[in-house]
Amino acid sequence: MSERKILVTSALPYANGPIHLGHLVEYIQTDIWVRFQKQRGNECHFVCADDTHGTPIMLKADREGISPEALIAQVGKEHLADFTEFGVAFDNYHSTHSEENRAFSSLIYKRLRDAGHISSRTITQAFDPIKNMFLSDRFIKGECPKCGAPDQYGDSCEACGATYAPTELKNAVSTISGAKPIDKDSEHYFFNLADFTEMLQAWTKAGHLQPEVRNKLAEWLDGGLQQWDISRDAPYFGFEIPDAPGKYFYVWLDAPIGYMASFKNLCDKNNLNFDDYWALNSTSELYHFIGKDIIYFHALFWPAMLSGAHFRTPTAIFAHGFLTVNGEKMSKSRGTFITARTYLDHLNPEYLRYYFAAKLSAGVDDIDLNFDDFSQRVNSDLVGKVVNIASRCSGFISKRFDNKLSANCSEPGLFQEFLNANEQIAEHYEAREFGKAMREIMALADKANQYIDEKKPWLIAKQEGNEAELHEVCSMGINLFRILATYLKPVLPALTTEVERFLNIDLNAWPTNTQALSNHLISDFKPLMTRVEPDKISAIVEASKENLEKTSAQQPLNTTPKETLFEPIAGTIEFDDFAKLDLRIAKIITATHIEGSDKLLQLTLDIGDETRNILAGIKSAYQPEDLEGKLTLVIANLAPRKMRFGTSEGMVLAAGPGGKDIWILSPDEGAMAGMRVK
């Protein structure tokens, strides 16, 4: 009987677009961890589902002339096909548009309502008079009320960064119909999240979260929790709220409940006990793997909802960072916004599984897919080290010994050294330090190749009377290869299946007390993995650029998650417009933290003829004490802008991908302060 009972989920992919490589970081990470748990003998269930509700789904189905149900059914098949080919082995893949999800959403809502955690009030929203539907901020566009930039969304300006209410937009139109929105009142339902402040303060500090996530949540909790609008008005594709005709659950309410629904579906199919995993007194383990962009929903709303509805809360939530490609955000124009299907058309999916494993840690840092590093690492580690061991030894076993391994383990100490590594490697897998696990495994592969290099079986084979030594050396190499393949099984399931056929054994058990294979018949060796070829990488990039050309005329709803949209700022400016900018080198006199802001620092700058106070979003990259006395570049003639934390009298120019990598500084040369840049 297994020691642990574990339920694992990945975040639910939204059903309005294809799976891309950024998504796959999470699903591959989760799958590796689940496969490891199963290999260790634990009872572990991995469930997921398509996230299928919301306005974008409804609108996309309308544009394609099909029902939302038909759309999500098709997308669900495509998602599952991509996951399956990447070796992501869900025990159950379901849909949030299911009877199980409807039942649990209603149950949780009613329990929260009856306990006094739901309230309602009338709010005023923008309304599309042609489509007869309320519009969220991201379905309204117009001219920015601050800088006049055209084609800006209803909540913020991508040109100047200003935030505002949709009613402040000039010449606003609905992005759905083109009509001018009107104001209209509607009753909405709210979840009183603040009721759970004490519970969340205790829960977030109780070891359920990564340290950096816990610290971020502490900031939000200290700032006070607001009511959460959980309702949307018809027309809306989703579940109607039980006691509110014409009102629907907001997609983010029923999405995490989809974890419960998918598991209930699995329970009904496999005769499992749902309460063993979700009841308040459950001793089973529950883990959610998510992206860092949805921490707020999973680590505040979700545990509060579960607690208020008398279900257990997660054992832990594991957040990961984003994927960059060649050091930059995924870009369609560069051909690096790569879908899962495009990759599968050209490359072995296990290359990517290994590369992600080699880069992943237990933290929330972003990881980069660098194509040169990707090729080198796969070719060197998997082909040049691991597979090479079997290739070097198998030919002699086949030709000289009829595919039978030696009866004698000639290097028991070396074999035991490989086995003894299992505890450290297991600890790394358990802690999601996959990169460390891969380094340990590759260090063992180096030792195996070193052993073969020292013994030189190709020379032994040429010497008469050394058949026994040749047999033992090559058999030892095969036995070491077997241990390495077992350690890699969570990462490379397809390769391991081929290894099992080659060795005529299964590698299901974690190698703790494994005995060396002796007098064992193996099969003829067939190439297990080929090298990454540069032309394959080039083909993926080119195919991704073609995808951009084919979809450029489509509305952005097709590729964006849930109820958010993004499209790059379009258009160009003339040189005369650029010449209007007063660019100056400024000396930073003082730099201070801004209480309540997790992004901004307040800078006092000497721009030559006066000092300016500027609020700069560089807190993630710099400590204030590191900035004082240094030089930076500013736009000195930008109109002052009133912000939440004060007025900013200009703009500091920065470069870099973001996070810790934001660069604004030059060496200190006092005489340069105030110099205009031409």
Side-chain angles (χ1 to χ4, degrees), residues 510-524:
W510 190 252
T512 51
N513 297 308
T514 302
Q515 300 298 310
L517 298 172
S518 61
N519 282 325
H520 180 78
L521 193 66
I522 64 174
S523 302
D524 288 337

Side-chain angles (χ1 to χ4, degrees), residues 93-258:
Y93 196 80
H94 205 37
S95 167
T96 57
H97 194 63
S98 66
E99 287 308 310
E100 295 95 342
N101 204 28
R102 184 191 302 273
F104 278 117
S105 297
S106 296
L107 175 64
I108 288 174
Y109 170 78
K110 289 176 181 178
R111 287 182 177 179
L112 294 173
R113 178 199 64 191
D114 295 347
H117 301 306
I118 303 293
S119 59
S120 64
R121 68 174 185 270
T122 298
I123 65 173
T124 302
Q125 289 179 284
F127 186 82
D128 186 322
I130 294 180
K131 285 291 187 178
N132 289 317
M133 61 183 293
F134 286 95
L135 301 169
S136 66
D137 298 344
R138 305 300 283 180
F139 289 107
I140 305 169
K141 276 191 173 183
E143 298 171 10
C144 172
K146 309 295 183 183
C147 73
D151 206 33
Q152 299 302 310
Y153 288 115
D155 56 353
S156 63
C157 176
E158 292 174 347
C160 73
T163 58
Y164 40 75
T167 53
E168 297 180 79
L169 270 183
K170 298 177 181 177
N171 301 316
V173 296
S174 164
T175 63
I176 300 171
S177 70
K180 180 180 179 180
I182 62 174
D183 290 341
K184 189 172 182 179
D185 291 343
S186 175
E187 184 180 23
H188 272 231
Y189 291 76
F190 296 83
F191 174 46
N192 302 324
L193 186 61
D195 294 353
F196 298 88
T197 299
E198 290 185 10
M199 171 262 164
L200 289 170
Q201 285 175 335
W203 187 83
T204 56
K205 297 174 182 176
H208 304 293
L209 305 167
Q210 296 138 299
E212 51 267 67
V213 174
R214 182 183 65 240
N215 294 339
K216 172 56 67 175
L217 290 175
E219 293 180 20
W220 289 333
L221 285 163
D222 291 344
L225 299 175
Q226 306 300 312
Q227 286 186 320
W228 180 33
D229 189 343
I230 61 167
S231 67
R232 294 294 185 267
D233 292 278
Y236 192 81
F237 183 59
F239 295 139
E240 198 168 31
I241 298 176
D243 57 358
K247 307 291 182 179
Y248 291 79
F249 287 128
Y250 174 44
V251 58
W252 262 113
L253 181 127
D254 67 60
I257 297 172

Side-chain angles (χ1 to χ4, degrees), residues 74-96:
Q74 178 60 36
V75 172
K77 290 179 182 177
E78 294 168 357
H79 283 182
L80 187 55
D82 288 346
F83 287 137
T84 300
E85 290 192 49
F86 270 97
V88 179
F90 302 110
D91 292 295
N92 197 59
Y93 196 80
H94 205 37
S95 167
T96 57

Side-chain angles (χ1 to χ4, degrees), residues 509-560:
W510 190 252
T512 51
N513 297 308
T514 302
Q515 300 298 310
L517 298 172
S518 61
N519 282 325
H520 180 78
L521 193 66
I522 64 174
S523 302
D524 288 337
F525 178 80
K526 296 179 181 179
L528 295 171
M529 186 169 280
T530 57
R531 296 171 58 84
V532 178
E533 299 298 339
D535 63 314
K536 299 293 186 183
I537 301 291
S538 299
I540 287 175
V541 172
E542 287 305 311
S544 299
K545 288 180 179 177
E546 289 176 11
N547 288 343
L548 170 66
E549 293 167 4
K550 291 174 184 175
T551 60
S552 59
Q554 296 179 0
Q555 296 187 41
L557 286 175
N558 294 343
T559 56
T560 51

Side-chain angles (χ1 to χ4, degrees), residues 345-615:
D345 287 340
H346 298 279
L347 283 177
N348 183 340
E350 300 230 316
Y351 296 160
L352 193 69
R353 287 181 65 98
Y354 176 74
Y355 189 75
F356 281 170
K359 304 278 278 188
L360 279 164
S361 70
V364 297
D365 294 333
D366 296 347
I367 68 172
D368 183 50
L369 170 57
N370 179 282
F371 287 137
D372 290 337
D373 181 50
F374 169 82
S375 300
Q376 189 277 333
R377 195 177 297 240
V378 170
N379 293 343
S380 173
D381 289 0
L382 297 185
V383 181
K385 293 181 181 180
V386 177
V387 171
N388 192 45
I389 299 168
S391 177
R392 300 174 82 182
C393 298
S394 60
F396 295 113
I397 298 293
S398 172
K399 295 174 184 177
R400 305 284 280 265
F401 307 106
D402 296 325
N403 274 339
K404 181 174 283 190
L405 300 180
S406 170
N408 181 40
C409 179
S410 61
E411 301 285 347
L414 181 59
F415 185 78
Q416 191 60 45
E417 182 183 350
F418 273 52
L419 284 184
N420 290 345
N422 90 86
E423 293 183 10
Q424 183 63 67
I425 294 171
E427 287 179 11
H428 290 325
Y429 270 125
E430 179 68 41
R432 306 177 324 286
E433 293 286 359
F434 298 160
K436 292 180 180 179
M438 296 307 103
R439 287 192 289 275
E440 293 275 351
I441 295 168
M442 290 308 141
L444 292 176
D446 286 337
K447 287 184 178 180
N449 280 293
Q450 182 181 357
Y451 166 78
I452 297 168
D453 289 339
E454 291 173 352
K455 293 297 183 179
K456 296 179 173 58
W458 54 92
L459 295 183
I460 298 174
K462 296 178 181 179
Q463 301 168 0
E464 293 185 10
N466 287 336
E467 291 293 294
E469 183 182 4
L470 178 64
H471 201 187
E472 289 175 356
V473 168
C474 292
S475 295
M476 188 66 201
I478 295 295
N479 270 294
L480 298 180
F481 170 73
R482 170 209 181 182
I483 301 300
L484 294 173
T486 309
Y487 289 146
L488 286 167
K489 184 168 185 175
V491 179
L492 304 172
L495 175 68
T496 310
T497 298
E498 294 304 310
V499 172
E500 288 173 333
R501 290 173 185 162
F502 164 54
L503 297 179
N504 289 324
I505 57 170
D506 69 61
L507 304 176
N508 293 331
W510 190 252
T512 51
N513 297 308
T514 302
Q515 300 298 310
L517 298 172
S518 61
N519 282 325
H520 180 78
L521 193 66
I522 64 174
S523 302
D524 288 337
F525 178 80
K526 296 179 181 179
L528 295 171
M529 186 169 280
T530 57
R531 296 171 58 84
V532 178
E533 299 298 339
D535 63 314
K536 299 293 186 183
I537 301 291
S538 299
I540 287 175
V541 172
E542 287 305 311
S544 299
K545 288 180 179 177
E546 289 176 11
N547 288 343
L548 170 66
E549 293 167 4
K550 291 174 184 175
T551 60
S552 59
Q554 296 179 0
Q555 296 187 41
L557 286 175
N558 294 343
T559 56
T560 51
K562 297 213 175 164
E563 298 202 358
T564 61
L565 297 172
F566 173 82
E567 56 185 26
I569 300 171
T572 60
I573 63 172
E574 298 298 328
F575 181 81
D576 289 344
D577 296 320
F578 176 73
K580 295 176 183 177
L581 298 178
D582 182 2
L583 299 176
R584 298 195 197 181
I585 297 172
K587 184 174 183 178
I588 302 173
I589 303 172
T590 61
T592 57
H593 291 290
I594 297 176
E595 185 176 351
S597 175
D598 59 355
K599 296 181 180 180
L600 298 175
L601 294 179
Q602 179 166 314
L603 308 180
T604 301
L605 304 175
D606 177 2
I607 64 170
D609 50 7
E610 63 177 301
T611 60
R612 294 279 185 88
N613 288 314
I614 292 180
L615 307 185

Side-chain angles (χ1 to χ4, degrees), residues 299-353:
L300 290 179
F301 293 140
W302 180 230
M305 287 166 54
L306 289 169
S307 177
H310 309 299
F311 288 105
R312 60 86 52 83
T313 52
T315 305
I317 296 173
F318 301 137
H320 61 82
F322 300 136
L323 178 71
T324 58
V325 179
N326 289 340
E328 300 178 341
K329 291 182 179 180
M330 290 197 296
S331 164
K332 289 184 176 180
S333 62
R334 294 183 180 90
T336 55
F337 190 95
I338 302 165
T339 67
R341 185 52 48 186
T342 299
Y343 178 99
L344 289 167
D345 287 340
H346 298 279
L347 283 177
N348 183 340
E350 300 230 316
Y351 296 160
L352 193 69
R353 287 181 65 98

